[in-house]
Amino acid sequence: MHWNVYFIILMVITTAMAGPTRKPPRTPSSTSPPTSPPRPESCPTALKRAGISPMFASMVTHSIHSLTLEDIRYYFNNSATEENGVPTVNMDLKSEQRVLPNAPLAGYDMDFSTSGMRAFDLVLRNMDRSWWGVSGYNTLEKIGHALHMSEAWTNAAQQYKSISKTVDPDSEVCACLNDVESNGIMDHLNLIAFKIRYPGITSGNKNITTHFLDLHPNNNTTHRQKRAGPGSEIDYSAKKGPFKYDAAYHANREEGILYAACDCYDPHEGIAKAWKRSGKANRFQDIDFDQSDVKLLAEVAEKLVDGDVAEIPHLDSAEHWTYWRDMFKMGKHDKAHFDLAMFLFCKLNEDNK
């Protein structure tokens, strides 16, 4: 990529506004009743009453998959600790651990005063590491992804500020949102991790999935070195599958909401049905994400088919930027920002973290 392009990007992100300082987590009242585990049958009602969307699991995981502790402190809660309870996808693609239980310290250079420059620096420091970040993205695309997430967090931060004044962290809705093993958050994070590590693994296109499945199952190092990336010779021409996707994400055109690809639910079906589907009694049923990538690849390729071939044109021209720009704009919706803000508020105040 020509350096004048990077210079333009650099000039844009150096103007990023500093995020507001967030107050420490609220200490629950001494008279508040102890939080009990949520009853699955009561969560759909509690979430719907609180204004949570039926698709919250996919929308929230899209927004937290690359979240770091520095980001949490900058946008949401400046007193958050390393034991913050916000799970994220592991950006170290060599690691056997796909999903981290806590948003990690990324090592931002805090000599930079804006979030944009910190993210820009982090991407460029890792630009020679093919195993870091989103598999298959070039450096400019990784910068674009970082700025896209920064915009999502900036928008959610405004909602977070209001929520912190009105929502009780010991409420039933918070208990339901914090139950990431039952509400679909962990399942969707694992799904995103597989899509990042193995682009097209859920496509249903055997020309793509065979590329991964044929790799030697007992040699993790060789397996990871052969992951698809820029220039990878994979045949994407076969029929995509039962669903139509233009990229790693698709939009509900009627409402303009961004949903993670493979979240093939009817957004109008109602939150109770969506809750049941987002738990284990759905397409994730019987998939044990505690197992290694090698053991799960075939199962993921077979059971989580959604037609997502990860066919995104590389960001190497103004024409292709139009495509990326439209994709980034899909996520600009108040419902997604509200769901994210609610989840983060509840998680960051769980047991007074």
Side-chain angles (χ1 to χ4, degrees):
M1 184 62 62
H2 201 281
W3 275 106
N4 63 356
V5 176
Y6 286 128
F7 177 75
I8 293 172
I9 295 294
L10 177 62
M11 293 301 294
V12 171
I13 63 179
T14 51
T15 64
M17 295 180 64
T21 301
R22 303 295 168 190
K23 65 181 182 180
R26 202 170 54 172
T27 302
S29 168
S30 59
T31 60
S32 299
T35 303
S36 58
R39 299 188 307 277
E41 64 275 11
S42 68
C43 281
T45 301
L47 295 178
K48 184 176 182 179
R49 186 168 55 241
I52 302 297
S53 74
M55 314 303 295
F56 79 93
S58 60
M59 289 196 287
V60 168
T61 51
H62 164 69
S63 298
I64 66 173
H65 77 273
S66 61
L67 191 66
T68 71
L69 177 54
E70 290 99 331
D71 296 324
I72 291 175
R73 289 172 174 170
Y74 186 84
Y75 294 100
F76 303 104
N77 187 323
N78 60 8
S79 297
T81 69
E82 292 187 45
E83 298 295 323
N84 50 76
V86 179
T88 64
V89 171
N90 192 348
M91 292 294 103
D92 179 358
L93 305 185
K94 299 194 297 2
S95 173
E96 290 296 324
Q97 188 175 13
R98 287 184 299 274
V99 176
L100 303 174
N102 301 285
L105 284 167
Y108 286 155
D109 187 339
M110 303 307 287
D111 287 340
F112 292 115
S113 59
T114 65
S115 62
M117 272 307 305
R118 292 168 188 168
F120 184 83
D121 170 69
L122 184 65
V123 170
L124 293 192
R125 276 191 280 134
N126 287 283
M127 65 188 299
D128 295 330
R129 298 171 176 169
S130 61
W131 47 263
W132 180 86
V134 181
S135 178
Y137 277 19
N138 63 34
T139 301
L140 185 57
E141 291 159 1
K142 289 180 179 180
I143 293 171
H145 174 264
L147 295 178
H148 165 58
M149 299 315 304
S150 177
E151 182 177 46
W153 300 329
T154 297
N155 291 330
Q158 301 304 314
Q159 301 264 18
Y160 186 99
K161 185 176 181 179
S162 298
I163 288 169
S164 66
K165 298 176 181 178
T166 59
V167 175
D168 182 358
D170 291 325
S171 64
E172 183 179 25
V173 66
C174 274
C176 293
L177 291 175
N178 288 336
D179 187 10
V180 296
E181 293 293 343
S182 300
N183 62 23
I185 294 293
M186 292 303 293
D187 288 332
H188 281 273
L189 280 175
N190 275 283
L191 174 61
I192 290 175
F194 269 102
K195 285 173 174 284
I196 287 175
R197 292 175 174 221
Y198 311 96
I201 190 63
T202 62
S203 64
N205 182 337
K206 293 188 183 297
N207 291 324
I208 300 173
T209 58
T210 299
H211 172 81
F212 300 117
L213 300 179
D214 282 353
L215 297 177
H216 198 287
N218 297 318
N219 189 332
N220 289 348
T221 301
T222 301
H223 180 81
R224 298 190 185 287
Q225 288 175 342
K226 291 185 178 179
R227 284 205 182 103
S232 176
E233 296 182 359
I234 297 178
D235 182 3
Y236 286 89
S237 62
K239 184 178 179 181
K240 292 183 179 181
F243 307 100
K244 182 179 179 181
Y245 293 86
D246 294 325
Y249 300 96
H250 70 286
N252 177 315
R253 300 296 179 183
E254 180 179 346
E255 297 187 9
I257 305 172
L258 180 70
Y259 299 125
C262 191
D263 205 353
C264 311
Y265 310 147
D266 178 357
H268 305 293
E269 67 183 351
I271 198 166
K273 190 174 181 181
W275 174 272
K276 292 178 182 178
R277 286 188 168 189
S278 67
K280 284 295 182 183
N282 57 76
R283 63 205 166 116
F284 294 113
Q285 189 173 17
D286 300 327
I287 297 182
D288 181 6
F289 283 120
D290 288 335
Q291 295 188 76
S292 68
D293 287 14
V294 172
K295 290 183 179 180
L296 282 178
L297 272 172
E299 194 172 5
V300 168
E302 177 185 355
K303 293 185 177 181
L304 301 183
V305 173
D306 59 17
D308 177 13
V309 297
E311 263 186 333
I312 306 177
H314 278 299
L315 185 49
D316 53 12
S317 67
E319 178 185 4
H320 288 169
W321 165 240
T322 300
Y323 182 97
W324 282 76
R325 182 185 62 198
D326 291 345
M327 182 177 68
F328 287 155
K329 286 182 179 180
M330 289 179 187
K332 293 175 65 63
H333 199 282
D334 285 343
K335 289 185 179 180
H337 304 148
F338 177 76
D339 284 359
L340 173 60
M342 280 288 291
F343 174 76
L344 289 176
F345 172 77
C346 291
K347 261 300 174 189
L348 295 174
N349 288 279
E350 184 181 18
D351 300 325
N352 196 30
K353 280 191 172 68

